Amino acid sequence: MKKMEEKSMDSHLLRPYNFLPKKELRSFLGQNFIIDPMFLRSTVRLARLQSEDMVLEFGTGLGALTYYLAPVVRGVFTVEISARLLKFAQNFLKSYSNVYFCLADALRNKNSLNPAWIDAFGEVHSLSKPFVVVANLPYQIASSLIVLLLRRHFEEAPFALKRMLVLVQREVGERFLAKPNQKNYGRLSVMVQSMAVVRRVKLAPPNIFWPRPRVMSALMEVIPRKGVEGGGLSYLDKLVRLAFTHRRKKLGFNLAPLASSIRIQSLWEEVGIDPSQRPEEISVQKYLRLALLWKKLEDG
């Protein structure tokens, strides 16, 4: 049965060669389509889904991952920016009554989610009830989208994000996991680790995709932390944007612009930060502590 299923899926997954020009396929915002049924089944298994789960997917593409998700969950709400791809996926998945399609960009801009898909998702599934994100994310939006989904969960209730299992570039996954003094440690590391527990589930080689990317990918599990103070995240974001503006400069130099609004020097000792340190030497916990103290000062 599995061999017959794989043969059927291979036939479908190779169809982009026929229905879209190569140049057009390569223009879909960094999307690389998974053409390996074994990897797709493995992804669904590793997502640890239950029959009552609602899945939120970004980057419907040809509907291949959706095809494996739909039979094992209550529903899949899938977001795609390309009308042509979405039409193809709708036709391929027409036998599934629990798949909900949304033609929209995931992001309104690099700093905010697109409210169009949020509103549409809320009509299908109450945002106060848990949902799981499972997606092969377009490379160009992956890091911004993950941070914004986490921030939405903590800053704008209801948005009951349970966890994410997402395929991203290997380098992006390494930045999620990086620790102080490591090469990839930076703003993304601090923001993601302050809000979530992250682990790399498995690597994905280029040959499972079409077109083949030039880099390895990584399947990452992202689980929101408990007890995160949502009100401090905007301060943390501003703080680390400034802190990592010049990686080789001292932290005191990079955060000098804050001196006009707060007496930041008074916070160094309380947090245990030496302003002569470089930004990559400071832990996530200390950045978060500094951001919360900044918020406290401004709140009076």
Side-chain angles (χ1 to χ4, degrees):
M1 183 68 180
K2 283 186 178 180
K3 288 185 178 180
M4 290 180 64
E5 179 187 71
E6 287 185 15
K7 184 176 181 181
S8 173
M9 282 300 296
D10 282 340
S11 175
H12 163 63
L13 294 172
L14 292 175
R15 285 181 64 183
Y17 294 102
N18 301 320
F19 86 96
L20 283 178
K22 183 183 292 187
K23 183 178 180 181
E24 185 173 342
L25 272 173
R26 291 183 184 275
S27 71
F28 284 121
L29 295 180
Q31 279 185 269
N32 298 86
F33 306 100
I34 302 175
I35 58 171
D36 186 329
M38 290 182 64
F39 187 88
L40 290 164
R41 284 204 310 274
S42 172
T43 298
V44 173
R45 176 177 55 81
L46 291 167
R48 299 181 287 117
L49 297 166
Q50 304 296 319
S51 59
E52 67 274 13
D53 281 335
M54 172 60 75
V55 170
L56 174 58
E57 180 190 19
F58 296 96
T60 315
L62 304 172
L65 180 57
T66 324
Y67 175 87
Y68 286 100
L69 287 168
V72 300
V73 294
R74 182 172 65 84
V76 181
F77 185 90
T78 183
V79 181
E80 173 58 53
I81 191 174
S82 165
R84 193 168 183 182
L85 283 178
L86 196 67
K87 183 177 180 180
F88 182 87
Q90 285 175 317
N91 183 62
F92 174 62
L93 299 165
K94 60 187 176 183
S95 62
Y96 290 108
S97 60
N98 65 335
V99 177
Y100 307 91
F101 299 93
C102 180
L103 179 62
D105 193 339
L107 303 180
R108 178 166 56 185
N109 54 55
K110 65 179 182 179
N111 296 315
S112 62
L113 298 171
N114 184 355
W117 70 258
I118 297 174
D119 292 342
F121 184 41
E123 293 177 3
V124 170
H125 177 78
S126 172
L127 297 180
S128 63
K129 295 181 179 180
F131 60 90
V132 181
V133 172
V134 183
N136 170 29
L137 295 179
Y139 286 164
Q140 292 184 12
I141 67 168
S143 56
S144 295
L145 180 58
I146 289 168
V147 170
L148 289 170
L149 287 170
L150 287 168
R151 287 191 63 177
R152 173 82 188 204
H153 172 70
F154 291 112
E155 293 178 323
E156 298 183 54
F159 196 75
L161 174 62
K162 186 176 179 181
R163 66 177 177 275
M164 293 185 264
L165 186 68
V166 289
L167 196 59
V168 299
Q169 281 184 318
R170 180 179 184 175
E171 181 185 353
V172 172
E174 289 173 348
R175 289 165 65 194
F176 287 169
L177 296 169
K179 302 301 181 186
N181 295 308
Q182 292 182 343
K183 177 183 176 182
N184 288 311
Y185 184 72
R187 172 185 168 270
L188 185 60
S189 315
V190 175
M191 290 304 298
V192 172
Q193 291 177 37
S194 67
M195 295 184 283
V197 177
V198 188
R199 72 182 181 98
R200 190 175 75 187
V201 178
K202 65 186 297 186
L203 291 175
N207 63 3
I208 71 164
F209 298 97
W210 193 90
R212 288 192 181 191
R214 297 178 181 178
V215 296
M216 291 283 286
S217 299
L219 192 63
M220 307 295 295
E221 184 179 64
V222 182
I223 302 176
R225 293 184 182 276
K226 295 181 179 179
V228 174
E229 186 177 329
L233 294 175
S234 62
Y235 289 85
L236 179 64
D237 184 53
K238 294 173 188 176
L239 182 68
V240 294
R241 283 180 188 275
L242 280 174
F244 287 95
T245 301
H246 305 287
R247 292 184 63 91
R248 303 312 302 163
K249 296 287 187 180
K250 295 177 181 179
L251 193 65
F253 176 87
N254 289 346
L255 296 184
L258 293 181
S260 61
S261 59
I262 62 172
R263 294 192 300 274
I264 193 167
Q265 289 79 4
S266 66
L267 303 181
W268 297 131
E269 186 174 343
E270 186 170 353
V271 179
I273 293 176
D274 181 346
S276 67
Q277 290 180 285
R278 301 192 190 280
E280 67 268 22
E281 297 177 307
I282 309 301
S283 69
V284 173
Q285 292 74 20
K286 287 185 177 181
Y287 275 120
L288 185 56
R289 175 69 174 149
L290 188 60
L292 291 173
L293 286 173
W294 176 16
K295 177 181 182 297
K296 185 178 179 180
L297 281 177
E298 291 212 338
D299 289 346

